[in-house]
Amino acid sequence: AAAGGLRRAGWRLWRGRAVVRCQHCPPVRALQASAALRRASDEHKKEPLTSSSQQHFDSPPAGHQPEQEPQGPHPSYTGQGGQESEDYESEEQLQHRILTAALEFVPEHGWTAEAIAEGAKTLGLSVAAAGMFHSDGSELILHFVSECNTKLSKLLEKEQKLVQLGEAEKKPIDEFLRDAVEARLRMLIPYIEKWPQALSILLLPRNIPSSLSLLTSMIDDIWHYAGDQSTDFNWYTRRAVLTGIYNTTELVMMQDSSPGFQDTWRFLGNRVADAMAMSNTASQVQSTGEAVVQGLMGAAVTVSN
Amino acid sequence: VYQVFENVAKKYDVMNDSMTLGIHRVWKDILVHKMNPCPGTLLLDVAGGTGDIAFRFINYVRSVRERQLQRKLKDHQNLSWQEIFESYQKDKFNSLGDSQVVVCDINREMLKVGKQKAQHLGYSEGLSWVLGNAEELPFDDDKFDVYTIAFGIRNVTRIDLALQEAYRVLKPGGRFLCLEFSHVSNPLLSRLYDLYSFQVIPVLGEVIAGDWRSYQYLVESIRQFPPQEELKAMIEDAGFFKVDYENLNSGIVAIHSGFKL
């Protein structure tokens, strides 16, 4: 138990302390995965390791092999407090990396534990590591969706910066929405064959909270970058409308066989135009209603006189 | 411990069925389902003398492999006959997909019974039988994808040593699975269970296997075994991550799982 404690203590870096040399037990070989884990946990650390002649932790690319670790136990200046949170973070990081690696096997194996197992294999882990995730591949799909949403946010942010710097024109709302939804849906293209399977898994009761929250946060993002500042009921209607547009376009894309998904993009353009027209119509109806009321009031005044 | 199992080896399976009223098969099935092995997995089944887990593993992998092959054939609809024939040839001799089970037990008698069973049931490939002690496994480091120990770990004198050995022989990313009797949390069920264990099981032992004392020992060793949380802490101490347990039958047995990360 003491050896286990020391080993766990070896994961942790004290702020401002000199050297903490990681140690592992038995000390003979450098486990690729535990070194990877250490690398991943070190990515989180704020301070770089000082005076580590035995270890390379800077800029860890995926396939980088660390050198042989020092042998034997070393004194570490860490306490047991906060160990669990550090390890938990590292596990999450590792899971994240396994899922990312698994994505490239999805076209072949589908959104299954097999794809995750293949992904783990490419990272040098045993195929049994896929047991960390649910056997139906839900985590893989949720991971993919959240990665796509992150990519979309970054894209929209970049565009916004360009507009702010004056290097690009600010797009009208309908064009902005159309481009954002198209960009997001294009990320599905490499996995389009297995995507219907993914959609059905996302609809399982167990996954609905997560998938719904991912969807709403993405829609929120798009409207935020579109410049939506509303604080009234419009907030809800805008999001509901865009969610409807996104979902229907996604479904159309599933069974679209036109070259380059032209039909889908045309459908999308039509739906966005519909939405714009609808909002115009709504305001027109409102102003017409007001005009009618005013006319009636005038008539009533005239009649009373 | 050795003598206990020497005596019971031949009647082990029969006793298991009668003691647990056949539910032990379900427990072992659940264990293999939880493992969800894919073809190409290397399994080490420790204290798995009569091969129950090993046979289930082989069945599971075989069916997964069949589904894989069927799917590959479906995708290959446009191949020429020659190519299809070649792929059949290649895969026919690979019905297990390179999966392998090594059954390790400290007791020669149990291994003998296991080998006989394998022959009887027709399991020929992918099985190895090795004599070894769980506290000091005769294998190299980083060899196995999955390590299972079903109803064996309570018979190990130094559980921490066995866990450390498990950690050693597993590949990075490998999984540790332990199926064992554990503590029942529900008080009513616990009373019934105690009643059954102490009154019925030794009697069955005497009647079926002619051995009261071994089964008395069995029941007592179950009571002595650390409860779920304690075992979880021990597994974490050995260096495993994401350690978790699943109670079956509200605590009569529990499956502990950990990963070497």
mmCIF file of all heavy atoms in Angstrom, chain B residues 68-95:
data_model
loop_
_atom_site.group_PDB
_atom_site.id
_atom_site.type_symbol
_atom_site.label_atom_id
_atom_site.label_comp_id
_atom_site.label_asym_id
_atom_site.label_seq_id
_atom_site.Cartn_x
_atom_site.Cartn_y
_atom_site.Cartn_z
ATOM 1 N N GLN B 68 -18.450 -10.479 -37.289
ATOM 2 C CA GLN B 68 -17.468 -9.653 -38.005
ATOM 3 C C GLN B 68 -17.312 -10.133 -39.435
ATOM 4 O O GLN B 68 -17.306 -9.350 -40.385
ATOM 5 C CB GLN B 68 -16.109 -9.779 -37.314
ATOM 6 C CG GLN B 68 -15.662 -8.557 -36.597
ATOM 7 C CD GLN B 68 -14.281 -8.734 -36.010
ATOM 8 O OE1 GLN B 68 -13.598 -9.710 -36.288
ATOM 9 N NE2 GLN B 68 -13.885 -7.802 -35.206
ATOM 10 N N LEU B 69 -17.163 -11.464 -39.582
ATOM 11 C CA LEU B 69 -16.961 -12.032 -40.907
ATOM 12 C C LEU B 69 -18.182 -11.797 -41.787
ATOM 13 O O LEU B 69 -18.067 -11.459 -42.955
ATOM 14 C CB LEU B 69 -16.664 -13.529 -40.798
ATOM 15 C CG LEU B 69 -15.320 -13.854 -40.158
ATOM 16 C CD1 LEU B 69 -15.151 -15.352 -40.028
ATOM 17 C CD2 LEU B 69 -14.186 -13.285 -40.981
ATOM 18 N N GLN B 70 -19.368 -11.958 -41.189
ATOM 19 C CA GLN B 70 -20.583 -11.722 -41.965
ATOM 20 C C GLN B 70 -20.636 -10.295 -42.459
ATOM 21 O O GLN B 70 -20.991 -10.027 -43.610
ATOM 22 C CB GLN B 70 -21.815 -11.986 -41.102
ATOM 23 C CG GLN B 70 -22.263 -13.408 -41.115
ATOM 24 C CD GLN B 70 -23.419 -13.616 -40.174
ATOM 25 O OE1 GLN B 70 -23.931 -12.675 -39.563
ATOM 26 N NE2 GLN B 70 -23.842 -14.841 -40.046
ATOM 27 N N ARG B 71 -20.249 -9.376 -41.575
ATOM 28 C CA ARG B 71 -20.297 -7.974 -41.959
ATOM 29 C C ARG B 71 -19.299 -7.696 -43.067
ATOM 30 O O ARG B 71 -19.576 -6.955 -43.997
ATOM 31 C CB ARG B 71 -19.998 -7.109 -40.750
ATOM 32 C CG ARG B 71 -20.886 -5.907 -40.689
ATOM 33 C CD ARG B 71 -20.460 -4.957 -39.695
ATOM 34 N NE ARG B 71 -19.372 -5.482 -38.904
ATOM 35 C CZ ARG B 71 -19.076 -5.063 -37.709
ATOM 36 N NH1 ARG B 71 -19.817 -4.147 -37.177
ATOM 37 N NH2 ARG B 71 -18.072 -5.560 -37.038
ATOM 38 N N LYS B 72 -18.123 -8.318 -42.953
ATOM 39 C CA LYS B 72 -17.126 -8.105 -43.987
ATOM 40 C C LYS B 72 -17.631 -8.623 -45.317
ATOM 41 O O LYS B 72 -17.430 -8.002 -46.354
ATOM 42 C CB LYS B 72 -15.812 -8.817 -43.619
ATOM 43 C CG LYS B 72 -14.785 -7.873 -43.029
ATOM 44 C CD LYS B 72 -13.385 -8.369 -43.190
ATOM 45 C CE LYS B 72 -13.082 -9.416 -42.154
ATOM 46 N NZ LYS B 72 -11.664 -9.747 -42.085
ATOM 47 N N LEU B 73 -18.295 -9.772 -45.300
ATOM 48 C CA LEU B 73 -18.822 -10.330 -46.534
ATOM 49 C C LEU B 73 -19.870 -9.410 -47.140
ATOM 50 O O LEU B 73 -19.910 -9.205 -48.348
ATOM 51 C CB LEU B 73 -19.450 -11.700 -46.273
ATOM 52 C CG LEU B 73 -18.459 -12.853 -46.177
ATOM 53 C CD1 LEU B 73 -19.195 -14.153 -45.997
ATOM 54 C CD2 LEU B 73 -17.602 -12.907 -47.412
ATOM 55 N N LYS B 74 -20.721 -8.851 -46.251
ATOM 56 C CA LYS B 74 -21.748 -7.942 -46.769
ATOM 57 C C LYS B 74 -21.114 -6.758 -47.475
ATOM 58 O O LYS B 74 -21.607 -6.288 -48.492
ATOM 59 C CB LYS B 74 -22.618 -7.427 -45.610
ATOM 60 C CG LYS B 74 -23.905 -8.172 -45.462
ATOM 61 C CD LYS B 74 -24.972 -7.366 -44.772
ATOM 62 C CE LYS B 74 -24.526 -6.817 -43.442
ATOM 63 N NZ LYS B 74 -25.668 -6.292 -42.670
ATOM 64 N N ASP B 75 -20.002 -6.264 -46.900
ATOM 65 C CA ASP B 75 -19.367 -5.102 -47.515
ATOM 66 C C ASP B 75 -18.663 -5.459 -48.802
ATOM 67 O O ASP B 75 -18.343 -4.592 -49.594
ATOM 68 C CB ASP B 75 -18.336 -4.498 -46.547
ATOM 69 C CG ASP B 75 -19.016 -3.849 -45.367
ATOM 70 O OD1 ASP B 75 -20.195 -3.509 -45.499
ATOM 71 O OD2 ASP B 75 -18.356 -3.685 -44.334
ATOM 72 N N HIS B 76 -18.360 -6.732 -48.946
ATOM 73 C CA HIS B 76 -17.574 -7.143 -50.102
ATOM 74 C C HIS B 76 -18.443 -7.670 -51.222
ATOM 75 O O HIS B 76 -18.058 -8.595 -51.926
ATOM 76 C CB HIS B 76 -16.579 -8.229 -49.693
ATOM 77 C CG HIS B 76 -15.491 -7.697 -48.829
ATOM 78 N ND1 HIS B 76 -14.566 -8.504 -48.244
ATOM 79 C CD2 HIS B 76 -15.192 -6.448 -48.432
ATOM 80 C CE1 HIS B 76 -13.739 -7.763 -47.535
ATOM 81 N NE2 HIS B 76 -14.100 -6.522 -47.613
ATOM 82 N N GLN B 77 -19.616 -7.095 -51.388
ATOM 83 C CA GLN B 77 -20.541 -7.651 -52.376
ATOM 84 C C GLN B 77 -20.001 -7.598 -53.787
ATOM 85 O O GLN B 77 -20.399 -8.368 -54.642
ATOM 86 C CB GLN B 77 -21.866 -6.894 -52.340
ATOM 87 C CG GLN B 77 -22.680 -7.131 -51.085
ATOM 88 C CD GLN B 77 -23.113 -8.564 -50.950
ATOM 89 O OE1 GLN B 77 -23.022 -9.345 -51.897
ATOM 90 N NE2 GLN B 77 -23.562 -8.935 -49.785
ATOM 91 N N ASN B 78 -19.100 -6.637 -54.028
ATOM 92 C CA ASN B 78 -18.697 -6.469 -55.424
ATOM 93 C C ASN B 78 -17.407 -7.171 -55.781
ATOM 94 O O ASN B 78 -16.811 -6.902 -56.800
ATOM 95 C CB ASN B 78 -18.524 -4.967 -55.724
ATOM 96 C CG ASN B 78 -19.841 -4.249 -55.555
ATOM 97 O OD1 ASN B 78 -20.872 -4.817 -55.799
ATOM 98 N ND2 ASN B 78 -19.779 -3.005 -55.112
ATOM 99 N N LEU B 79 -16.960 -8.051 -54.914
ATOM 100 C CA LEU B 79 -15.708 -8.729 -55.223
ATOM 101 C C LEU B 79 -15.929 -9.843 -56.227
ATOM 102 O O LEU B 79 -17.013 -10.386 -56.360
ATOM 103 C CB LEU B 79 -15.103 -9.333 -53.959
ATOM 104 C CG LEU B 79 -14.544 -8.343 -52.941
ATOM 105 C CD1 LEU B 79 -13.873 -9.116 -51.825
ATOM 106 C CD2 LEU B 79 -13.549 -7.422 -53.577
ATOM 107 N N SER B 80 -14.838 -10.205 -56.874
ATOM 108 C CA SER B 80 -14.926 -11.345 -57.784
ATOM 109 C C SER B 80 -14.965 -12.630 -56.967
ATOM 110 O O SER B 80 -14.627 -12.652 -55.787
ATOM 111 C CB SER B 80 -13.708 -11.357 -58.698
ATOM 112 O OG SER B 80 -12.567 -11.680 -57.931
ATOM 113 N N TRP B 81 -15.368 -13.697 -57.616
ATOM 114 C CA TRP B 81 -15.452 -14.995 -56.920
ATOM 115 C C TRP B 81 -14.104 -15.404 -56.350
ATOM 116 O O TRP B 81 -14.019 -15.970 -55.267
ATOM 117 C CB TRP B 81 -15.944 -16.086 -57.877
ATOM 118 C CG TRP B 81 -17.424 -16.046 -58.047
ATOM 119 C CD1 TRP B 81 -18.116 -15.743 -59.177
ATOM 120 C CD2 TRP B 81 -18.407 -16.320 -57.038
ATOM 121 N NE1 TRP B 81 -19.457 -15.798 -58.952
ATOM 122 C CE2 TRP B 81 -19.671 -16.146 -57.647
ATOM 123 C CE3 TRP B 81 -18.346 -16.669 -55.690
ATOM 124 C CZ2 TRP B 81 -20.865 -16.336 -56.961
ATOM 125 C CZ3 TRP B 81 -19.541 -16.860 -54.996
ATOM 126 C CH2 TRP B 81 -20.772 -16.694 -55.641
ATOM 127 N N GLN B 82 -13.067 -15.131 -57.101
ATOM 128 C CA GLN B 82 -11.739 -15.529 -56.642
ATOM 129 C C GLN B 82 -11.395 -14.863 -55.318
ATOM 130 O O GLN B 82 -10.908 -15.507 -54.396
ATOM 131 C CB GLN B 82 -10.701 -15.128 -57.720
ATOM 132 C CG GLN B 82 -9.265 -15.508 -57.368
ATOM 133 C CD GLN B 82 -9.069 -17.009 -57.303
ATOM 134 O OE1 GLN B 82 -9.856 -17.770 -57.846
ATOM 135 N NE2 GLN B 82 -8.035 -17.439 -56.616
ATOM 136 N N GLU B 83 -11.691 -13.564 -55.253
ATOM 137 C CA GLU B 83 -11.349 -12.843 -54.034
ATOM 138 C C GLU B 83 -12.175 -13.324 -52.854
ATOM 139 O O GLU B 83 -11.674 -13.455 -51.742
ATOM 140 C CB GLU B 83 -11.572 -11.329 -54.241
ATOM 141 C CG GLU B 83 -10.523 -10.702 -55.140
ATOM 142 C CD GLU B 83 -10.938 -9.332 -55.622
ATOM 143 O OE1 GLU B 83 -12.066 -9.175 -56.123
ATOM 144 O OE2 GLU B 83 -10.132 -8.399 -55.487
ATOM 145 N N ILE B 84 -13.422 -13.595 -53.098
ATOM 146 C CA ILE B 84 -14.283 -14.085 -52.014
ATOM 147 C C ILE B 84 -13.763 -15.422 -51.509
ATOM 148 O O ILE B 84 -13.659 -15.663 -50.303
ATOM 149 C CB ILE B 84 -15.742 -14.237 -52.497
ATOM 150 C CG1 ILE B 84 -16.325 -12.877 -52.852
ATOM 151 C CG2 ILE B 84 -16.585 -14.901 -51.423
ATOM 152 C CD1 ILE B 84 -17.737 -12.934 -53.345
ATOM 153 N N PHE B 85 -13.402 -16.290 -52.460
ATOM 154 C CA PHE B 85 -12.874 -17.602 -52.074
ATOM 155 C C PHE B 85 -11.632 -17.457 -51.210
ATOM 156 O O PHE B 85 -11.482 -18.132 -50.193
ATOM 157 C CB PHE B 85 -12.575 -18.386 -53.359
ATOM 158 C CG PHE B 85 -11.902 -19.696 -53.093
ATOM 159 C CD1 PHE B 85 -12.600 -20.740 -52.513
ATOM 160 C CD2 PHE B 85 -10.571 -19.895 -53.431
ATOM 161 C CE1 PHE B 85 -11.987 -21.953 -52.270
ATOM 162 C CE2 PHE B 85 -9.949 -21.107 -53.204
ATOM 163 C CZ PHE B 85 -10.667 -22.135 -52.623
ATOM 164 N N GLU B 86 -10.765 -16.536 -51.631
ATOM 165 C CA GLU B 86 -9.527 -16.357 -50.862
ATOM 166 C C GLU B 86 -9.807 -15.845 -49.464
ATOM 167 O O GLU B 86 -9.179 -16.284 -48.498
ATOM 168 C CB GLU B 86 -8.594 -15.365 -51.588
ATOM 169 C CG GLU B 86 -7.745 -16.036 -52.632
ATOM 170 C CD GLU B 86 -7.078 -15.035 -53.541
ATOM 171 O OE1 GLU B 86 -7.187 -13.827 -53.267
ATOM 172 O OE2 GLU B 86 -6.473 -15.456 -54.533
ATOM 173 N N SER B 87 -10.755 -14.920 -49.353
ATOM 174 C CA SER B 87 -11.020 -14.380 -48.023
ATOM 175 C C SER B 87 -11.641 -15.444 -47.126
ATOM 176 O O SER B 87 -11.401 -15.491 -45.931
ATOM 177 C CB SER B 87 -11.934 -13.161 -48.116
ATOM 178 O OG SER B 87 -13.257 -13.547 -48.373
ATOM 179 N N TYR B 88 -12.437 -16.326 -47.727
ATOM 180 C CA TYR B 88 -12.994 -17.449 -46.961
ATOM 181 C C TYR B 88 -11.874 -18.311 -46.410
ATOM 182 O O TYR B 88 -11.861 -18.694 -45.252
ATOM 183 C CB TYR B 88 -13.867 -18.319 -47.862
ATOM 184 C CG TYR B 88 -15.329 -18.184 -47.579
ATOM 185 C CD1 TYR B 88 -16.208 -17.771 -48.567
ATOM 186 C CD2 TYR B 88 -15.839 -18.464 -46.322
ATOM 187 C CE1 TYR B 88 -17.547 -17.645 -48.312
ATOM 188 C CE2 TYR B 88 -17.190 -18.331 -46.062
ATOM 189 C CZ TYR B 88 -18.031 -17.927 -47.064
ATOM 190 O OH TYR B 88 -19.364 -17.794 -46.823
ATOM 191 N N GLN B 89 -10.924 -18.653 -47.295
ATOM 192 C CA GLN B 89 -9.813 -19.504 -46.879
ATOM 193 C C GLN B 89 -9.063 -18.889 -45.722
ATOM 194 O O GLN B 89 -8.779 -19.547 -44.732
ATOM 195 C CB GLN B 89 -8.835 -19.686 -48.052
ATOM 196 C CG GLN B 89 -9.364 -20.514 -49.179
ATOM 197 C CD GLN B 89 -9.397 -21.991 -48.820
ATOM 198 O OE1 GLN B 89 -9.925 -22.364 -47.786
ATOM 199 N NE2 GLN B 89 -8.822 -22.816 -49.666
ATOM 200 N N LYS B 90 -8.804 -17.619 -45.875
ATOM 201 C CA LYS B 90 -7.999 -16.929 -44.861
ATOM 202 C C LYS B 90 -8.718 -16.941 -43.517
ATOM 203 O O LYS B 90 -8.129 -17.201 -42.493
ATOM 204 C CB LYS B 90 -7.763 -15.474 -45.304
ATOM 205 C CG LYS B 90 -6.571 -14.832 -44.644
ATOM 206 C CD LYS B 90 -6.149 -13.544 -45.334
ATOM 207 C CE LYS B 90 -7.228 -12.770 -46.010
ATOM 208 N NZ LYS B 90 -7.606 -11.562 -45.272
ATOM 209 N N ASP B 91 -10.007 -16.687 -43.565
ATOM 210 C CA ASP B 91 -10.720 -16.507 -42.308
ATOM 211 C C ASP B 91 -11.224 -17.799 -41.716
ATOM 212 O O ASP B 91 -11.527 -17.874 -40.551
ATOM 213 C CB ASP B 91 -11.906 -15.553 -42.509
ATOM 214 C CG ASP B 91 -11.437 -14.162 -42.839
ATOM 215 O OD1 ASP B 91 -10.381 -13.784 -42.324
ATOM 216 O OD2 ASP B 91 -12.116 -13.470 -43.611
ATOM 217 N N LYS B 92 -11.318 -18.823 -42.537
ATOM 218 C CA LYS B 92 -11.886 -20.063 -42.015
ATOM 219 C C LYS B 92 -10.995 -20.620 -40.913
ATOM 220 O O LYS B 92 -11.464 -21.179 -39.945
ATOM 221 C CB LYS B 92 -12.021 -21.090 -43.141
ATOM 222 C CG LYS B 92 -13.001 -22.212 -42.805
ATOM 223 C CD LYS B 92 -13.506 -22.875 -44.057
ATOM 224 C CE LYS B 92 -12.497 -23.880 -44.552
ATOM 225 N NZ LYS B 92 -12.905 -25.265 -44.247
ATOM 226 N N PHE B 93 -9.694 -20.482 -41.112
ATOM 227 C CA PHE B 93 -8.807 -21.039 -40.114
ATOM 228 C C PHE B 93 -8.571 -20.065 -38.979
ATOM 229 O O PHE B 93 -7.624 -20.189 -38.241
ATOM 230 C CB PHE B 93 -7.469 -21.412 -40.764
ATOM 231 C CG PHE B 93 -7.654 -22.424 -41.847
ATOM 232 C CD1 PHE B 93 -7.195 -22.173 -43.124
ATOM 233 C CD2 PHE B 93 -8.308 -23.605 -41.599
ATOM 234 C CE1 PHE B 93 -7.380 -23.109 -44.129
ATOM 235 C CE2 PHE B 93 -8.500 -24.536 -42.598
ATOM 236 C CZ PHE B 93 -8.032 -24.283 -43.869
ATOM 237 N N ASN B 94 -9.428 -19.096 -38.891
ATOM 238 C CA ASN B 94 -9.211 -18.063 -37.892
ATOM 239 C C ASN B 94 -10.500 -17.770 -37.155
ATOM 240 O O ASN B 94 -10.839 -16.642 -36.917
ATOM 241 C CB ASN B 94 -8.730 -16.799 -38.607
ATOM 242 C CG ASN B 94 -7.838 -15.981 -37.717
ATOM 243 O OD1 ASN B 94 -7.625 -16.355 -36.576
ATOM 244 N ND2 ASN B 94 -7.338 -14.889 -38.235
ATOM 245 N N SER B 95 -11.216 -18.841 -36.829
ATOM 246 C CA SER B 95 -12.546 -18.633 -36.267
ATOM 247 C C SER B 95 -12.510 -17.951 -34.909
ATOM 248 O O SER B 95 -13.511 -17.456 -34.445
ATOM 249 C CB SER B 95 -13.271 -19.971 -36.131
ATOM 250 O OG SER B 95 -12.635 -20.739 -35.136
#
